[in-house]
Structure formats: structure tokens, C-alpha cells
């Protein structure tokens, strides 16, 4: 969805559609693990309304959104209830707005609430002649029934990306398979790559994690049969996959892993790899003192980074990873899911 939004061709085509009218492009990404506003109708409508008013501020008065600031009834513009937002969008449909809107709404399946309510909201927006919508979801029956009737107006991601996924899996495994697998087993290997492509259902993150596991198997000398067993044991659902990764962490690492994850979640921006090293060693004052003296040099910083990078991968299965140039590396999640 982000690719579609950021693609220059998207805006070019939409401007042709808007003609002389103002063009408003608004986005909303449902995220179940986020705040209440990131997974609710209220958050969706608030974001869309903001984008509309930002481009067409004259609409504020047309919609009756200007409030008096009398002492007896002070204005509270920050309090936008779902009922009030629905009323505003209802008025918006009948207001003469000199604009064309294209709304990109991602992850309908991440919405928390009754999905029929969300479907009604989307259908209501879609009924407005000057609004276009691009929406995405997993293949849930409720969304298929509501929006998937016209095959010309839907794309299944797994069909669109299957060739790219096949090429990615094949290239990432083929660079080491020749030394580990004999030519006679090539057909089994190709069948393995095809099965990865089929099970992925268009989810590149799943493919990345599976291929990483299989590459580790190849380095360990796994046979084709063992690689197949690895693949069979890996869940095709991402949440179950992550759960399996968590469960594979040794018990001795689980408390420090929980602390490290919690810190990573609370930071407003990724912290340095060296910071996590000190966090990991906070109960070892002698080692901390040594690092404070030794770790100020460029060589010392890179030594601490190397040490912590090994811990991140070895203990936490690569769910947190270090990025950036040596001496300035920072830590972030492999993926925000």
C-alpha cells in the first residue's frame, strides 16, 4: 500500500482524474498492536477528516466546525467522538466541495471491532462520486463478500508477487546450495523453492524468515529431506511463526529479552547498539567500568558493537537487528509486526 501511495504514477493519474479540482490523497494504516486510534473507526475518520481539511481549509466553515469560545461553553477541538465524526462525514457528502479525494486504507483485518460496522463506513465513503478508495485486507470472507465481487477491481498479492518471491528464495538459497546439495537433488530443491512460494501467500516477511532458517540449515549441512522437515515445521501464519521463534529462545535469555524488547518498544527512535550493550551489562559494574574507559575509542565502540550484535542474533533470533555503519549502529525490530 505504501508503494502505491508513494508511486509518482499514482499521483499523476489521480491529478488527471481530479482535473481542475483540488486533489486530496489521504492514507490510513490499521494496526492492531498500536494505539486505540490506530485500530478504530474513530482513528480512521479523524485521520481522513484532517487530510481533507488540511488541503481544503475553507471546508471547515462549510461543515459547521467553527466553535464559539464563550466562557460558558469553551471549545474543545480535541474531543472528536465517533458520533460527531460520522455526522461530519454525513454533511461532507452533501457539501459542495471543490476537491477530489483518494483514500488509501490498509489492513482492514487489523481493525478492532465489528467488521460489519467498518464495511458500512467504507461503503458509505465509496458511494460519494468524488471519492476513490483503495483498500487492503487479508482474504477474510466478510471483506471478500463486500468488496471482492468485481475481479477487475481486486488484486491478490500472492498472485502479483509469486514470481518475485520465487526468484528471491531461489537466489538466497542457490548461492550456498551447490556446495551442500548434489546436482542429483536439484529437482527436490526446486520443489522446495516452489513450496516456499506457495505457502508464503504473498507475505515477503514470512519468506525472509523461512529462507533465513533454511540457509542456517544449509550451513549446518542439512540434507534436502531435513530442509523439507524444517519447512514443514515452520508455521505459515506470521503470528504463530513469531511465537515459535519466542519459544525457541533459551529460558536463561527470556528475561533479558523481555527487558530489551520493552526498551525498544518505548523508545521514540532507535537507540545505539552500544546503549543496549550497557543495558545488558547493567548488573556487572566491573565490566561497565571497563567499557566506560575502553569503549570511548573508535576501536572500543566497534568491539562493543560486535559483542552486542552477536547477542542480538544468538539470543533473540534476529527479531532485533543492528543497522547502520560500524561505530554508529542502531537497534530496531526486524519488522514492526
Amino acid at each position: 500500500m505504501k508503494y502505491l501511495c508513494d508511486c509518482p504514477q499514482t499521483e499523476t493519474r489521480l491529478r488527471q482524474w481530479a482535473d481542475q479540482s483540488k486533489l486530496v490523497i489521504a492514507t490510513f494504516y490499521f494496526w492492531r498492536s498500536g494505539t486505540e486510534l490506530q485500530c478504530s473507526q474513530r482513528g480512521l475518520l479523524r485521520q481522513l477528516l484532517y487530510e481533507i481539511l488540511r488541503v481544503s481549509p475553507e471546508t471547515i466553515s462549510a461543515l459547521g466546525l467553527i466553535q464559539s469560545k464563550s466562557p460558558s461553553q469553551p471549545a474543545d477541538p480535541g474531543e472528536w467522538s465517533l458520533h460527531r465524526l460520522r455526522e461530519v462525514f454525513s454533511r461532507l457528502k452533501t457539501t459542495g466541495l471543490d476537491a477530489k479525494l483518494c483514500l488509501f486504507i490498509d489492513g482492514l483485518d487489523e481493525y478492532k471491532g465489528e467488521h460489519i460496522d467498518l464495511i458500512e463506513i467504507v461503503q458509505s465513503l465509496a458511494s460519494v462520486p468524488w471519492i476513490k478508495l483503495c483498500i487492503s485486507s487479508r482474504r477474510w470472507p466478510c471483506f471478500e463478500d463486500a468488496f471482492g465481487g468485481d475481479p477487475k477491481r481486486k488484486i491478490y498479492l500472492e498472485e502479483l508477487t509469486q514470481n518475485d518471491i520465487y526468484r528471491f528464495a531461489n537466489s538466497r538459497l542457490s548461492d550456498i546450495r551447490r556446495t551442500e546439495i548434489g546436482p542429483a537433488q536439484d529437482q527436490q530443491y526446486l520443489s522446495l523453492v516452489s513450496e516456499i512460494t506457495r505457502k508464503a501467500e504473498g507475505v515477503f516477511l514470512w519468506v525472509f524468515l523461512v529462507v533465513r532458517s533454511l540457509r542456517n540449515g544449509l550451513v549446518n549441512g542439512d540434507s534436502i529431506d531435513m530442509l523439507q522437515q524444517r519447512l514443514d515445521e515452520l508455521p505459515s501464519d506470521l503470528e504463530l511463526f513469531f511465537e515459535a521463534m519466542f519459544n525457541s529462545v533459551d529460558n536463561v535469555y527470556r528475561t533479558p529479552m523481555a527487558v530489551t524488547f520493552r526498551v525498544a518498544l518505548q523508545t521514540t527512535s532507535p537507540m545505539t547498539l552500544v546503549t543496549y550493550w550497557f543495558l545488558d551489562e547493567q548488573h556487572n559494574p566491573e565490566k561497565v567500568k571497563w567499557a566506560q574507559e575502553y569503549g570511548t575509542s573508535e576501536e572500543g565502540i566497534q568491539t562493543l558493537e560486535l559483542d552486542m550484535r552477536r547477542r542480538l542474533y544468538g539470543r533473540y533470533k534476529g527479531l532485533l537487528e543492528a543497522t547502520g555503519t560500524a561505530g554508529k549502529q542502531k537497534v530496531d525490530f526486524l519488522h514492526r509486526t
Side-chain angles (χ1 to χ4, degrees), residues 64-84:
L65 299 180
I66 297 178
Q67 298 176 326
S68 64
K69 296 185 179 180
S70 64
S72 59
Q73 291 183 322
D76 185 5
E79 188 58 39
W80 286 90
S81 67
L82 179 58
H83 176 72
R84 184 183 178 199

Side-chain angles (χ1 to χ4, degrees), residues 25-241:
I25 299 176
T27 61
F28 188 82
Y29 299 88
F30 279 107
W31 188 31
R32 178 172 288 273
S33 301
T35 64
E36 183 268 336
L37 289 176
Q38 290 175 299
C39 56
S40 66
Q41 284 187 59
R42 195 165 71 92
L44 167 67
L45 295 179
R46 224 170 75 152
Q47 176 68 20
L48 299 183
L49 181 61
Y50 167 77
E51 294 294 345
I52 293 168
L53 300 182
R54 183 178 62 84
V55 176
S56 297
E58 65 276 7
T59 311
I60 296 174
S61 58
L63 292 174
L65 299 180
I66 297 178
Q67 298 176 326
S68 64
K69 296 185 179 180
S70 64
S72 59
Q73 291 183 322
D76 185 5
E79 188 58 39
W80 286 90
S81 67
L82 179 58
H83 176 72
R84 184 183 178 199
L85 285 165
R86 282 179 168 174
E87 282 187 338
V88 170
F89 270 90
S90 180
R91 291 200 298 271
L92 185 67
K93 291 164 64 175
T94 58
T95 299
L97 184 64
D98 184 25
K100 296 287 184 69
L101 276 66
C102 184
L103 312 178
F104 292 87
I105 306 174
D106 182 60
L108 300 186
D109 52 286
E110 295 278 320
Y111 166 73
K112 286 186 178 179
E114 293 293 332
H115 289 101
I116 188 64
D117 295 336
L118 179 61
I119 289 170
E120 288 175 354
I121 287 286
V122 174
Q123 288 176 332
S124 175
L125 292 170
S127 68
V128 182
W130 39 269
I131 293 181
K132 283 184 180 287
L133 284 139
C134 179
I135 59 178
S136 73
S137 169
R138 291 186 177 94
R139 279 199 194 191
W140 287 12
C142 59
F143 299 127
E144 281 272 12
D145 293 343
F147 308 119
D150 186 351
K152 294 181 180 180
R153 291 179 177 267
K154 65 180 177 182
I155 297 173
Y156 290 124
L157 190 61
E158 59 268 32
E159 296 175 1
L160 186 68
T161 60
Q162 62 182 358
N163 291 335
D164 293 326
I165 286 176
Y166 185 94
R167 284 194 293 268
F168 171 80
N170 191 25
S171 65
R172 291 292 291 161
L173 295 174
S174 62
D175 58 352
I176 52 177
R177 77 181 174 94
R178 286 295 177 185
T179 59
E180 308 295 339
I181 299 176
Q185 295 176 299
D186 274 359
Q187 189 56 48
Q188 286 180 280
Y189 164 80
L190 293 175
S191 296
L192 190 72
V193 174
S194 296
E195 187 173 350
I196 293 171
T197 306
R198 179 183 60 80
K199 292 182 69 174
E201 297 184 347
V203 182
F204 260 101
L205 176 59
W206 184 88
V207 178
F208 173 82
L209 295 170
V210 166
V211 168
R212 187 172 68 178
S213 175
L214 296 181
R215 281 174 63 90
N216 289 338
L218 285 170
V219 171
N220 294 339
D222 287 2
S223 65
I224 279 286
D225 291 337
M226 293 184 72
L227 293 177
Q228 182 65 56
Q229 184 178 344
R230 274 180 181 261
L231 181 58
D232 292 342
E233 291 178 356
L234 292 172
S236 56
D237 181 86
L238 262 184
E239 290 189 19
L240 294 177
F241 198 128

Side-chain angles (χ1 to χ4, degrees), residues 263-271 332 336:
V263 170
L265 283 167
Q266 294 298 321
T267 56
T268 55
S269 60
M271 297 196 305
D332 203 358
R336 291 311 299 181

Side-chain angles (χ1 to χ4, degrees), residues 274 277 290-291 293-307 309 326-328:
V274 172
W277 186 94
W290 167 83
E293 297 172 355
Y294 172 73
T296 54
S297 65
E298 182 177 343
E299 181 184 0
I301 291 173
Q302 293 185 21
T303 298
L304 297 180
E305 284 184 342
L306 177 62
D307 187 21
R309 192 164 58 247
K328 299 178 180 179

